[in-house]
């Protein structure tokens, strides 16, 4: 297997810190007066910031208006338009299965107990578009440590909430997917320091369309692995199912690692269109990076594996 | 079926040029929205899908002309050429948006896409098949080709199949809207297979055929 070499990111792609920080001043000022800049989101107290990418973050408006969240409909604009009735608070997450201390955790308490970080990650959708999103949240490993996984636990299974009365996509005659939406990670992937549970973006709580109030973010995998509105995590010995793989196993794998060399049967994964850049006439495709550019950190998780077979 | 008894209505009040003007308005409107930054987060994709969808819509309308007349006595034959050509125009713009705006004329990727991916291949096939139909959609070609014109234009059924599958493969899952469009295409194609009791109507129906079709052929129930 060829040795992975991380890509160099040119300095020209780096947003000057001054410009980037201005937004924070604005948010901080708004928070000071007890205001939220956005009606659907409340300011979060962010303890630390670490950026793993230098690309310019995608404008908040794009991040919150262009979403795949089939619980609210299959169009990109559906989640923003049809998630108004969804109640993300109060919220609990059950963690059970092969753990010494299973429990049901109140999300508000978790947010108080765990230091909330800002992490700017690239997000690559399996549909060949991408964004750069400043998430707020914490390492999934922190929550896993709390429940003490048993030695027999090899995987983590995740589950989204089912609330047809608040989620129009779960309602009616036409149901594109089976509910609940489920996802899974190998335990070592789940414990990787890059893997996070996000409770906010751009310094505010998650809008409903982005997976409020808590969602998974695994930046080296295709976006559909980032299960939203999580209510349950179960540690298992055998590989759990994941919704898209169950629907079309030849098109969507369990691992779903971003890989420009393994195409989707219907389209190429070699390039991607970065949302919010270029506009109508200057839209350009950029090369997709192996493991979405996080190879240095995560390639070791898959050493010895045939990534064409385990896609 | 009461089709034989239904009175044939001729729609001649709307001039044909107006169909072209109105038919092209969605493309102009959407282009303006794109150019002014009002097409959302991924304007290129939105524009591309929009043009493809309108090509499908005009394909469906074109295919609906004959059944509308045969089943309901509604005669839109006069507009069928315009509807078919509008389908072709939208398909051309859809392809152009894919080549220029989406792929930024990276021809190597396009060629690879066409060869490797049935999804793209079917779309391209539908477009290539549309070309001879568009080129012969004029009274001169109809006179010149005679019966062969009718045979040639049966390609529209192959186009409908290619375009329908292409349209179905374009998304991760079929949406409710897509089911409706695909259902209509299937219905309109199925009608051609099972069109009942048309033979006795042929002679009478040919009287209602538009001017352009009269000279040598009576293709009114072929399409």
């Amino acid at each position: 297997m060829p040795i992975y070499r991380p890509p160099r990111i040119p300095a020209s792609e780096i947003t000057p810190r001054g410009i980037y920080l201005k937004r924070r001043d604005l948010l901080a000022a708004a928070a000071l007066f007890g205001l939220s800049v956005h009606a659907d989101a409340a300011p979060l107290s962010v303890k630390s910031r670490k950026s793993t990418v230098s690309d310019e973050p995608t404008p908040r408006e794009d991040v919150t208006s262009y979403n795949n969240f089939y619980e609210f409909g299959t169009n990109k604009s559906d989640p923003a338009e049809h998630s108004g009735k969804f109640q993300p608070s109060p919220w609990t997450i059950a963690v059970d299965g092969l753990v010494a201390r299973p429990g049901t955790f109140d999300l508000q308490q978790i947010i108080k107990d765990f230091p909330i970080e800002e992490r700017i990650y690239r997000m690559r959708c399996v549909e060949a578009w991408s964004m750069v999103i400043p998430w707020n949240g914490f390492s999934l490993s922190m929550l896993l440590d709390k429940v003490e996984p048993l030695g027999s636990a090899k995987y983590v299974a995740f589950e989204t909430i089912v609330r047809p009365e608040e989620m129009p996509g779960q309602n009616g005659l036409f149901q594109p997917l089976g509910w609940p939406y489920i996802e899974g990670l190998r335990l070592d992937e789940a414990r990787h320091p890059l893997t996070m549970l996000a409770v906010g973006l751009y310094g505010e709580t998650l809008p409903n369309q982005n997976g409020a109030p808590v969602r998974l973010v695994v930046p080296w995998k295709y976006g559909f692995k980032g299960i939203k509105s999580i209510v349950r995590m179960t540690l298992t010995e055998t590989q759990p199912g994941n919704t898209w793989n169950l629907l079309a196993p030849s098109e969507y794998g369990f691992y779903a690692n971003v890989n420009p060399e393994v195409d989707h049967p219907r389209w190429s994964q070699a390039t991607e269109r970065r949302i919010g850049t270029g506009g109508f006439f200057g839209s350009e495709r950029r090369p997709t990076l192996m493991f979405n550019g996080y190879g240095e950190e995560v390639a070791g998780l898959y050493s010895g594996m045939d990534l064409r077979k385990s896609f | 079926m009461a089709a034989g008894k239904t009175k044939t209505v001729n729609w001649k009040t709307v001039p044909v040029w107006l169909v072209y003007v109105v038919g092209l308005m969605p493309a102009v409107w959407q282009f303006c929205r794109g150019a002014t930054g009002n097409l959302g987060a991924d304007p290129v994709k939105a524009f591309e899908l929009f043009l493809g969808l309108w090509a499908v819509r005009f394909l469906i309308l074109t295919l609906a002309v004959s059944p509308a007349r045969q089943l309901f006595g509604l005669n839109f034959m006069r507009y069928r050429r315009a509807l078919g050509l509008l389908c072709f125009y939208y398909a051309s713009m859809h392809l152009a948006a894919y080549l220029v705006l989406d792929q930024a004329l990276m021809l190597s990727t396009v060629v690879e896409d066409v060869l490797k991916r049935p999804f793209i291949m079917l779309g391209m096939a539908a477009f290539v098949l549309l070309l001879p139909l568009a080129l012969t959609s004029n009274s001169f070609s109809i006179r010149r080709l005679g019966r062969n014109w009718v045979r040639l234009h049966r390609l529209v059924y192959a186009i409908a199949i290619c375009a329908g599958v292409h349209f179905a493969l374009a998304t991760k899952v079929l949406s409710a809207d897509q089911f409706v469009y695909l259902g209509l295409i299937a219905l309109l194609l199925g009608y051609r297979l099972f069109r009942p009791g048309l033979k006795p109507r042929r002679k009478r129906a040919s009287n209602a055929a538009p001017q352009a079709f009269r000279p040598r052929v009576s293709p009114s129930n072929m399409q």
Side-chain angles (χ1 to χ4, degrees):
Chain A
M1 211 178 152
I3 296 165
Y4 173 77
R5 291 185 199 289
R8 291 224 168 271
I9 292 156
S12 61
E13 282 192 12
I14 301 172
T15 312
R17 195 163 172 79
I19 291 177
Y20 180 61
L21 289 178
K22 266 182 202 155
R23 197 194 144 75
R24 294 190 177 132
D25 296 342
L26 200 77
L27 290 174
L32 199 67
F33 292 102
L35 298 170
S36 173
V37 179
H38 301 95
D40 53 350
L44 276 170
S45 134
V46 177
K47 301 282 194 305
S48 66
R49 307 181 193 283
K50 89 180 145 196
S51 175
T52 55
V53 286
S54 43
D55 309 19
E56 188 174 345
T58 306
R60 185 189 189 274
E61 199 200 321
D62 292 340
V63 176
T64 58
S65 66
Y66 192 81
N67 308 99
N68 277 327
F69 196 174
Y70 284 16
E71 280 80 346
F72 295 113
T74 52
N75 288 326
K76 296 283 184 292
S77 55
D78 283 342
E81 284 165 16
H82 301 133
S83 61
K85 271 166 77 182
F86 185 69
Q87 295 297 332
S89 158
W91 195 270
T92 57
I93 307 179
V95 189
D96 52 24
L98 301 173
V99 294
R101 302 162 63 85
T104 300
F105 299 89
D106 177 56
L107 188 67
Q108 279 315 311
Q109 198 56 48
I110 295 178
I111 293 174
K112 270 181 215 150
D113 292 350
F114 293 166
I116 301 300
E117 298 174 326
E118 178 188 79
R119 299 189 193 177
I120 304 178
Y121 282 161
R122 280 183 287 265
M123 205 278 286
R124 170 64 157 77
C125 178
V126 75
E127 297 166 5
W129 52 266
S130 64
M131 294 184 179
V132 177
I133 305 174
W135 299 106
N136 307 110
F138 51 88
S139 286
L140 172 58
S141 63
M142 295 180 78
L143 187 55
L144 291 174
D145 287 346
K146 253 182 124 102
V147 296
E148 295 169 20
L150 301 176
S152 53
K154 299 278 185 299
Y155 297 90
V156 185
F158 302 84
E159 199 179 305
T160 296
I161 198 161
V162 180
R163 273 191 200 161
E165 64 283 2
E166 294 175 22
M167 300 176 129
Q170 290 181 337
N171 225 322
L173 208 63
F174 186 77
Q175 303 285 313
L177 301 175
W179 315 115
Y181 191 95
I182 52 171
E183 256 309 336
L185 291 176
R186 233 167 48 189
L187 186 56
D188 58 345
E189 296 176 319
R191 282 188 141 154
H192 191 280
L194 282 175
T195 304
M196 75 186 291
L197 287 179
V199 294
L201 57 85
Y202 268 114
E204 296 173 315
T205 52
L206 279 181
N208 288 345
Q209 61 268 34
N210 292 86
V214 56
R215 63 167 291 167
L216 182 67
V217 178
V218 195
W220 70 91
K221 292 177 180 284
Y222 291 121
F224 70 83
K225 293 297 286 184
I227 184 169
K228 304 181 176 89
S229 307
I230 301 167
V231 283
R232 178 180 297 272
M233 296 173 12
T234 306
L235 283 92
T236 64
E237 196 169 357
T238 51
Q239 183 175 305
N242 56 316
T243 294
W244 282 102
N245 176 250
L246 292 170
L247 187 82
S250 63
E251 301 191 352
Y252 313 99
F254 171 77
Y255 285 96
N257 292 320
V258 175
N259 188 341
E261 281 158 35
V262 178
D263 286 340
H264 185 280
R266 286 183 272 148
W267 55 83
S268 163
Q269 298 291 25
T271 61
E272 65 200 52
R273 191 166 41 242
R274 179 63 54 79
I275 300 297
T277 60
F280 196 50
F281 300 109
S283 159
E284 55 179 50
R285 294 185 162 266
R286 58 176 73 207
T288 289
L289 307 173
M290 186 65 201
F291 294 116
N292 206 18
Y294 298 95
E296 201 174 349
E297 292 96 328
V298 302
L301 292 170
Y302 310 102
S303 53
M305 278 174 66
D306 182 350
L307 296 179
R308 287 190 175 275
K309 278 194 188 127
S310 307
F311 60 90
Chain B
M1 199 175 54
K5 288 169 210 148
T6 323
K7 197 178 152 228
T8 299
V9 184
N10 277 300
W11 298 73
K12 293 197 172 146
T13 38
V14 180
V16 174
W17 61 263
L18 197 62
V19 175
Y20 287 103
V21 172
V22 173
L24 286 170
M25 263 163 43
V28 174
W29 172 70
Q30 193 78 348
F31 183 82
C32 291
R33 286 183 68 195
T36 53
N38 288 306
L39 267 189
D42 197 355
V44 169
K45 196 100 225 152
F47 189 55
E48 198 174 319
L49 293 179
F50 178 90
L51 295 170
L53 180 61
W54 275 90
V56 166
R57 286 176 177 166
F58 280 114
L59 177 68
I60 289 171
L61 288 176
T62 311
L63 288 172
V65 168
S66 286
R69 197 180 51 158
Q70 289 156 0
L71 296 178
F72 309 111
L74 298 169
N75 191 346
F76 294 105
M77 283 303 279
R78 202 166 118 78
Y79 305 109
R80 189 169 68 178
R81 181 190 295 168
L83 295 172
L85 282 172
L86 280 164
C87 167
F88 171 72
Y89 297 152
Y90 274 93
S92 311
M93 291 188 283
H94 175 62
L95 176 63
Y98 162 72
L99 291 177
V100 180
L101 298 177
D102 188 339
Q103 300 293 330
L105 290 174
M106 295 202 300
L107 291 181
S108 55
T109 8
V110 171
V111 170
E112 200 191 301
D113 257 6
V114 173
L115 296 179
K116 260 172 80 177
R117 280 167 245 294
F119 156 56
I120 308 277
M121 206 187 291
L122 283 163
M124 211 57 102
F127 178 76
V128 170
L129 293 175
L130 267 172
L131 282 169
L133 304 205
L135 287 172
T136 57
S137 284
N138 51 69
S139 307
F140 173 75
S141 298
I142 293 169
R143 275 195 303 276
R144 187 75 199 268
L145 295 170
R147 269 224 167 265
N148 287 330
W149 187 92
V150 177
R151 292 201 187 102
L152 178 68
H153 279 246
R154 281 191 194 132
L155 274 178
V156 71
Y157 306 135
I159 292 166
I161 291 167
C162 291
V165 178
H166 170 72
F167 179 57
L169 290 176
T171 49
K172 281 198 293 193
V173 292
L174 285 179
S175 68
D177 303 8
Q178 274 174 305
F179 267 112
V180 173
Y181 289 114
L182 292 170
L184 284 171
I185 292 176
L187 203 69
L188 290 166
L189 289 181
Y191 169 77
R192 266 77 180 180
L193 286 177
F194 301 108
R195 199 160 22 186
L198 274 179
K199 299 262 170 185
R201 279 190 63 232
R202 264 192 191 180
K203 293 264 144 50
R204 265 176 295 149
S206 65
N207 292 333
Q211 216 70 43
F213 292 105
R214 269 190 191 166
R216 284 203 262 154
V217 285
S218 56
S220 46
N221 30 36
M222 310 301 286
Q223 294 286 313

